[in-house]
Amino acid sequence: MKASEVKTFYYLMKLGRRFEEAAKEEYMKGNIAGFLHLDIGQEAVSVGTMQAFDKGDVFTHYREHVLAIARGMDPKVIMAELFGKKTGISKGKGGSMHLFEPNLSFYGGDAIVGGQFPMAVGCAYARKLEGENAGVFAIGGDGATNGGAFFESINLAAAWKLPIIFFIENNYYAIGTRIGWVSPFEELYNKAKNYMPSVRINGMDVFEVYNEVMKAKEYIENGLGPYFIEAETYRFEGHSMSDNGKYRSEEEMEIFKRRDPIENLKNKALKLGIVEKEFFDETDKKIEKEIAEAVEFAANSPEPEIEELHTDVYCKECENVVS
Ligand SMILES: Cc1ncc(C[n+]2csc(CCOP(=O)(O)OP(=O)(O)O)c2C)c(N)n1
């Protein structure tokens, strides 16, 4: 546990948490419409994975604000996207579930559960043909592992030894469906272990996530084929803003809240004397300012013009690529 790593991980996780809390507040005020899936509680996964997988291509599902922040996307353009503004990362036309940024190799926000996996496998195949070995990272939820797209993807990735990491955030619920009701077991790494190295880790510990993805990255870069990681985690909020999460018990919530990845990292670093209290206080203040600026930027940005309804709908250049 190095001080520099603790500082980076804490900053990004806290920035992500405060971003989400602000987004929730703005949603309640009516400034954000549509769907909003919060990552609160799962920040160790978003930050640990993106810090370790620093090159290569990233394919995500719709719960991706903190992944995007940890990848290097400016919170201002994410907030503006949530507000549906012209300055948003997808020009305000995608919203919360579509934070796509090719310059960061971030192909994110697939709203179709499990839809990101076949695309990620296609990309991994293309990268292998091109002789690129930075690989592909595909992340999804526990519910996504019950779909055919997931099984077809791990099958082909293993058969063709593709450079891809499959990462599952097992937060136990697919909206209100508990994993054990629709899967014969809750430890999902069992689903991939006949295909590739497959592990289950503590997704509430940012260092554990980071170290495991570093290991997986080395494995795929060496051309050995795909790698599967299941991280046990928990979302403290409902599935989306329209879900009050009443299907979970208070006791279960309490157990996982005691494992809060941000508080625990801070307390551990303080106890071991690795990072001083002043750092955390100053970082918190800096983050408050950054988040206030992001909301202000989004609120003051213009709406997209009506003509924009017809742009970015069809890819004319792609016709030549496919032929
Ligand atoms: C193919 C498909 N089926 C159903 C849905 C509706 N749906 C949206 S999110 C979701 C739950 C997915 O849960 P999980 O994969 O565990 O991810 P989490 O929300 O827990 O991050 C469902 C069923 C969808 N978007 N796409």
Side-chain angles (χ1 to χ4, degrees), residues 30-77:
N31 291 328
I32 296 173
F35 283 98
L36 186 70
H37 304 91
L38 301 176
D39 209 31
I40 295 177
Q42 303 188 179
E43 296 90 348
V45 164
S46 299
V47 171
T49 56
M50 291 300 96
Q51 281 294 296
F53 195 81
D54 52 351
K55 300 187 193 84
D57 301 286
V58 176
F59 286 78
T60 83
H61 57 336
Y62 46 83
R63 198 180 295 287
E64 89 284 33
H65 308 146
V66 187
L67 283 161
I69 289 174
R71 187 74 177 168
M73 203 181 283
D74 186 343
K76 283 195 178 106
V77 300

Side-chain angles (χ1 to χ4, degrees), residues 299-314:
N300 295 334
S301 289
E303 304 276 345
E305 282 93 23
I306 194 77
E307 295 76 37
E308 282 284 336
L309 264 178
H310 304 284
T311 61
D312 307 319
V313 176
Y314 179 73

Side-chain angles (χ1 to χ4, degrees), residues 37 42 61-63 111-114 140-145 169 171 173-175 235 239:
H37 304 91
Q42 303 188 179
H61 57 336
Y62 46 83
R63 198 180 295 287
I112 304 301
V113 171
D142 43 87
T145 67
E169 324 185 86
N171 62 17
Y173 294 92
I175 314 186
R235 58 171 161 75
H239 167 78

